Amino acid sequence: MSALFDEKQLRCLEALLDTLIPPDDFPSAWEAGVGDYLLRQLQGDLADLQTSYGDFLRCLDAEAQHLHKRDFADLAVEARGDLLHRIEKHQLAASWTIEPGKFFQQIVEHCGEGYYSDPGNGGNREQIAWQMVGFEVRG
């Protein structure tokens, strides 16, 4: 368990990241270390977003509960994707304590950063994303 999030929030975060970058011929976001990247950043440069991330994850679970009577992590990937599209369109069923559309866009950006960034930042485990795009470190 993370010092930042409880077990339920971590499950939600993992499901969220893996919905944004699901596994195919290459690992999902979580498998590629995006969760590690994000948790590291939330204790460093993104520390001011810790509370917002926690609020977003709680509200995302509440939205899933309201619409499907299940936590976000327990939904099928298609249902998770549909729910995230609803958030982007501000078609909300539950009450949110954070502006979800704008913050969701930030999460998408952070997920991409973690997936494609230098592995020294905590994500892109074993340079898997670089292998996917054919990037080679030289020198």
Side-chain angles (χ1 to χ4, degrees), residues 56 59-60 62-64 66-67 82-102 104:
F56 185 90
C59 289
L60 183 57
E63 188 76 17
H66 192 81
L67 292 172
D82 290 344
L83 197 151
L84 294 176
H85 285 295
R86 290 176 55 91
I87 290 170
E88 285 181 306
K89 296 176 184 178
H90 299 281
Q91 297 172 343
L92 307 172
S95 177
W96 284 70
T97 58
I98 186 171
E99 201 289 297
K102 182 179 175 185
F104 175 63

Side-chain angles (χ1 to χ4, degrees), residues 34 37 41 46 108-118 123-124:
V34 176
Y37 166 83
Q41 293 301 313
L46 300 179
V108 170
E109 290 172 15
H110 294 157
C111 184
E113 288 172 8
Y115 199 80
Y116 293 103
S117 69
D118 186 306
N124 192 10

Side-chain angles (χ1 to χ4, degrees), residues 25-26 29 42-43 50-51 60-61 67-68 78 91 101 109 113 116 139:
D25 292 340
F26 293 91
L42 287 170
Q43 292 176 340
Q50 286 178 11
T51 300
L60 183 57
D61 265 341
L67 292 172
H68 301 285
E78 295 82 15
Q91 297 172 343
E109 290 172 15
E113 288 172 8
Y116 293 103

Side-chain angles (χ1 to χ4, degrees), residues 116-135:
Y116 293 103
S117 69
D118 186 306
N121 295 320
N124 192 10
R125 189 173 291 136
E126 298 176 19
Q127 301 178 356
I128 195 68
W130 290 356
Q131 294 171 35
M132 180 175 64
V133 298
F135 178 76

